[in-house]
């Protein structure tokens, strides 16, 4: 292993040996995501080289006799063209998998396992209204019925009207035991003056748990805490070897002391598209299943700098206009995540004859399937124009709107 002089970062031409079972059906040159500073200078005995790039002499290697295969690029991300085909070849050509696993069997097995694990004991679910926790809640509800209580902590950092919508769906449509805690003041006072993104996340994560503990005590003995953690959260919270990018409040931000016997995370091994399929399988309405993801810390990480009630209202209104216009343009399924960010920047503007000195709203929209990489969405100018003009006209204290044209990597989807 050597440290490379040139760091490879981004989609890179990889020249491969397409006689390898791993690369069956590929051209010789392929665009894959490379993201590294090291390279293998010499393949080990018994291995042969099956891929290289301009700066990396051994980007793929194999020892077919021992069924050992190595690649340096990332086949799992959207930026690798046909990357999943590499994984497909590995599973089907090399490991001889049959591919008969289905979401319906995942759902049945999960319900059975949860029933066995929880039995007559009580479980509490952290319901946020997002896709992940909603699917986790319904899965648990199918397994243990009224022994599940969902606590929906409305931290006041949700999108416009979202708290009421969540309550309507879970209490009225699904008849799930639901406790809504209106805790906005409590969260805002803890967050007052806090500007560091990681501190915001930690504070919100910790406060969430405190609220749960208090509610749990009111209910009586509660043995299990259910969380909607999904696989990308696990990876990005650095529980493996990769370094922490952001601590997700449903994984990395847990305080040391948690007043529950055990945490249950039924979606921990699933990617987002699989969570959605699970949701449909469970009979959750499509509009909820295809709702764009929303981070646990909510709008707190979309307000750069400190958070105040006034700033929250500005952001909620701007975000709601953006979402409305994206839906009006029929782009809401095409763009996987889109939202407004309240930057901490004030700039000079003019309205009528008046000089203004007000906030800048940034619009963020990305297309992705795995949320681990993504490209910025090329929203048509006329849609952006309408959004911009509506925001500056309808939302007080905003006089400028900008569009974020950065992909992930190098930027993340959220601004904090
Ligand atoms: P980033 O900003 O890391 O986000 O590119 C990737 C995806 O994760 C969502 N996200 C979160 N979800 N708790 C969550 O449940 C969190 O703390 C959190 N932070 C980011 C983000 O909205 C995007 O979909």
């Amino acid at each position: 292993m050597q440290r490379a002089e040139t760091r490879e970062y981004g989609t890179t031409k990889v020249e491969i040996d397409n006689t390898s079972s791993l690369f069956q059906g590929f051209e010789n040159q392929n665009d894959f995501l490379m993201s590294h500073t090291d390279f293998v200078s010499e393949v080990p005995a018994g291995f042969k080289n099956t891929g290289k790039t301009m700066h990396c002499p051994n980007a793929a290697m194999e020892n077919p006799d021992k069924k050992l295969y190595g690649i340096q690029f990332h086949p799992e991300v959207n930026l690798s063209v046909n990357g999943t085909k590499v994984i497909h070849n590995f599973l089907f050509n090399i490991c001889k998998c049959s591919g008969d696993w289905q979401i319906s069997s995942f759902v049945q097995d999960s319900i059975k396992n949860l029933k066995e694990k929880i039995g007559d004991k009580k479980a509490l679910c952290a319901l946020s209204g997002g896709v992940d926790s909603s699917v986790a809640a319904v899965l648990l509800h199918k397994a243990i019925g009224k022994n599940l209580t969902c606590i929906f902590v409305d931290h006041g950092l949700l999108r416009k009207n979202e708290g009421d919508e969540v309550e309507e769906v879970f209490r009225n449509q699904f008849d799930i035991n639901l406790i809504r805690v209106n805790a906005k003041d409590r969260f805002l006072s803890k967050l007052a003056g806090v500007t560091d993104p990681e501190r915001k996340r930690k504070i919100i994560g910790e406060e969430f748990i405190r609220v749960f503990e208090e509610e749990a005590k009111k209910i009586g003995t509660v043995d299990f805490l259910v969380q909607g953690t999904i696989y990308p959260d696990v990876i990005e919270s650095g529980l493996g070897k990769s370094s922490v990018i952001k601590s997700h409040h449903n994984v990395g931000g847990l305080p040391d002391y948690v007043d529950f016997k055990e945490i249950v995370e039924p979606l921990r091994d699933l990617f987002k598209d699989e969570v959605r399929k699970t949701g449909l399988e469970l009979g959750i309405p499509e509009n909820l299943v295809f709702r764009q993801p929303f981070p646990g810390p909510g709008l707190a990480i979309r307000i750069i700098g400190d958070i105040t009630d006034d700033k929250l209202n500005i952001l909620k209104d701007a975000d709601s206009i953006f979402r409305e216009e994206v839906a009006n343009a029929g782009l809401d399924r095409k763009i996987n995540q889109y939202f407004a960010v309240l930057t901490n920047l004030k700039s000079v503007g003019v309205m009528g004859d008046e000089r203004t000195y007000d906030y800048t709203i940034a619009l963020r929209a990305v297309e992705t399937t795995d949320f681990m990489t993504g490209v910025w969405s090329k929203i048509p100018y006329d849609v952006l124009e309408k959004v911009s003009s509506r925001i500056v006209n309808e939302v007080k204290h905003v006089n400028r709107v900008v569009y974020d044209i950065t992909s992930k990597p190098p930027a993340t989807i959220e601004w904090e």
Side-chain angles (χ1 to χ4, degrees):
M1 176 96 89
Q2 271 187 25
R3 198 139 189 95
E5 274 172 28
T6 311
R7 184 168 172 236
E8 280 189 322
Y9 190 61
T11 310
T12 308
K13 292 252 174 277
V14 184
E15 214 173 288
I16 47 130
D17 173 358
N18 60 6
T19 61
S20 159
S21 314
L22 195 61
F23 300 129
Q24 200 182 11
F26 279 88
E27 299 294 320
N28 285 113
Q29 286 243 341
N30 295 275
D31 288 331
F32 293 133
L33 177 78
M34 293 289 272
S35 177
H36 68 101
T37 41
D38 299 318
F39 67 85
V40 174
S41 47
E42 206 179 310
V43 298
F47 279 78
K48 67 169 184 166
N49 172 297
T50 52
K52 62 176 187 223
T53 73
M54 196 148 83
H55 298 291
C56 177
N58 295 298
M61 63 181 180
E62 67 185 37
N63 181 338
D65 295 337
K66 291 197 168 159
K67 292 203 182 299
L68 292 173
Y69 294 78
I71 50 178
Q72 191 158 3
F73 55 85
H74 290 261
E76 75 282 12
V77 299
N78 294 342
L79 290 176
S80 287
V81 180
N82 292 325
T84 50
K85 193 167 161 48
V86 176
I87 300 172
H88 185 279
N89 284 347
F90 179 71
L91 294 174
F92 291 86
N93 296 349
I94 296 161
C95 303
K96 309 286 180 208
C97 292
S98 59
D100 54 2
W101 184 88
Q102 288 182 341
I103 287 289
S104 55
S105 46
F106 168 78
V107 168
Q108 282 160 16
D109 290 351
S110 297
I111 292 176
K112 185 168 160 276
N113 293 340
L114 289 166
K115 262 186 191 156
E116 277 167 19
K117 188 182 174 112
I118 301 177
D120 288 336
K121 297 200 176 111
K122 293 212 162 113
L124 264 192
C125 181
L127 189 64
S128 72
V131 184
D132 306 340
S133 65
S134 301
V135 173
V138 177
L139 196 58
L140 261 289
H141 178 66
K142 299 258 180 204
I144 62 166
K146 292 284 177 185
N147 277 335
L148 169 74
T149 303
C150 289
I151 295 181
F152 166 42
V153 177
D154 186 349
H155 49 23
L157 304 164
L158 296 169
R159 289 167 287 206
K160 198 173 178 179
N161 301 330
E162 200 165 35
D164 296 343
E165 285 164 19
V166 170
E167 186 167 353
E168 158 67 24
V169 170
F170 288 91
R171 201 189 298 285
N172 300 343
Q173 288 185 27
F174 285 102
D175 193 27
I176 287 178
N177 267 340
L178 177 77
I179 296 170
R180 176 175 176 179
V181 189
N182 291 316
K184 177 171 145 190
D185 293 346
R186 188 170 162 168
F187 278 85
L188 286 193
S189 74
K190 287 267 173 191
L191 287 165
V194 178
T195 56
D196 178 65
E198 282 297 293
R199 269 201 69 211
K200 287 183 187 174
R201 285 168 177 275
K202 289 265 148 65
I203 289 170
I204 295 168
E206 191 160 329
E207 205 53 23
F208 240 92
I209 297 296
R210 295 288 161 253
V211 177
F212 274 122
E213 285 171 347
E214 288 172 20
E215 290 303 320
K217 279 190 191 124
K218 289 183 202 161
I219 296 166
T221 312
V222 173
D223 304 276
F224 295 92
L225 176 69
V226 185
Q227 292 204 310
T229 314
I230 70 169
Y231 193 55
D233 303 335
V234 177
I235 300 171
E236 295 211 352
S237 288
L239 297 187
K241 278 199 178 136
S242 49
S243 58
V244 174
I245 300 165
K246 296 174 184 178
S247 53
H248 281 235
H249 97 251
N250 42 1
V251 184
L254 286 180
D256 297 337
Y257 175 73
V258 182
D259 198 10
F260 304 93
K261 200 168 102 190
E262 212 178 310
I263 289 186
V264 186
E265 296 172 316
L267 311 176
R268 204 182 157 86
D269 296 330
L270 301 188
F271 281 100
K272 199 83 187 183
D273 54 329
E274 296 167 324
V275 175
R276 290 208 163 97
K277 284 183 193 149
T278 304
L280 290 177
E281 182 71 25
L282 288 165
I284 300 177
E286 279 200 20
N287 64 341
L288 209 153
V289 166
F290 288 99
R291 183 182 250 175
Q292 55 169 316
F294 187 68
L299 301 182
I301 56 166
R302 295 179 181 172
I303 294 176
I304 312 304
D306 70 320
I307 299 154
T308 63
D309 209 5
D310 288 344
K311 287 184 183 174
L312 262 175
N313 288 332
I314 292 173
L315 180 58
K316 280 184 191 178
D317 287 342
D319 183 68
S320 146
I321 291 171
F322 185 31
R323 285 189 290 129
E324 205 176 299
E325 291 304 331
V326 166
N328 286 345
L331 297 170
D332 47 338
R333 279 280 180 98
K334 180 172 177 271
I335 308 173
N336 306 96
Q337 198 168 6
Y338 51 98
F339 51 86
V341 174
L342 181 61
T343 72
N344 210 13
L345 180 79
K346 280 190 167 183
S347 69
V348 176
V350 56
M351 247 185 205
D353 291 337
E354 298 266 309
R355 174 190 186 272
T356 58
Y357 187 61
D358 276 325
Y359 285 112
T360 302
I361 282 282
L363 305 175
R364 179 72 165 141
V366 285
E367 289 171 31
T368 173
T369 50
D370 56 17
F371 295 86
M372 289 155 82
T373 61
V375 291
W376 63 275
S377 181
K378 279 68 181 176
I379 296 183
Y381 283 167
D382 55 338
V383 179
L384 289 174
E385 185 178 28
K386 182 129 194 240
V387 174
S388 161
S389 112
R390 277 196 62 195
I391 290 176
V392 289
N393 281 305
E394 294 173 36
V395 186
K396 270 203 185 119
H397 302 301
V398 176
N399 67 356
R400 198 176 287 271
V401 177
V402 297
Y403 189 46
D404 181 350
I405 53 166
T406 333
S407 289
K408 173 182 179 178
T412 50
I413 295 173
E414 302 290 346
W415 274 37
E416 286 197 335

